[in-house]
Amino acid sequence: MALIDFKCIKCGEKFEEIVKLSDRENIKCPKCGSEDIKQVFEGKCCSVGSSKGVGGCSSGSCGGCSGCH
Ligand SMILES: [Zn+2]
């Protein structure tokens, strides 16, 4: 599991959820209830990493990073 940042496409609400990767499809916006959300990174992947405690961005090949390095 990981603490992941999400942003609601519908209302713009940002929120964090602790989710298993397999549960990502089921996340809903806590504000408007929309399932129309996307995952955001905003550099946080450098501390969280793509998998728990492993890798991160230091290797420059973080699979969960959308371009913070
Ligand atoms: Zn929303």
Side-chain angles (χ1 to χ4, degrees), residues 52-66:
K52 190 178 178 183
V54 179
C57 288
S58 58
S59 68
S61 59
C62 170
C65 177
S66 60

Side-chain angles (χ1 to χ4, degrees), residues 24-39:
R24 262 198 306 203
E25 303 293 315
N26 301 319
I27 306 299
K28 290 182 181 177
C29 172
K31 191 173 182 181
C32 71
S34 172
E35 296 181 17
D36 214 5
I37 58 164
K38 66 174 181 177
Q39 189 175 346

Side-chain angles (χ1 to χ4, degrees), residues 7-13 15 29-34 36-37:
K7 183 176 183 180
C8 177
I9 295 171
K10 191 174 179 182
C11 73
E13 176 80 354
F15 57 99
C29 172
K31 191 173 182 181
C32 71
S34 172
D36 214 5
I37 58 164

Side-chain angles (χ1 to χ4, degrees), residues 1-2 4 6 18-27:
M1 292 194 292
I4 298 179
F6 293 98
I18 299 174
V19 293
K20 291 181 283 190
L21 292 181
S22 59
D23 285 344
R24 262 198 306 203
E25 303 293 315
N26 301 319
I27 306 299

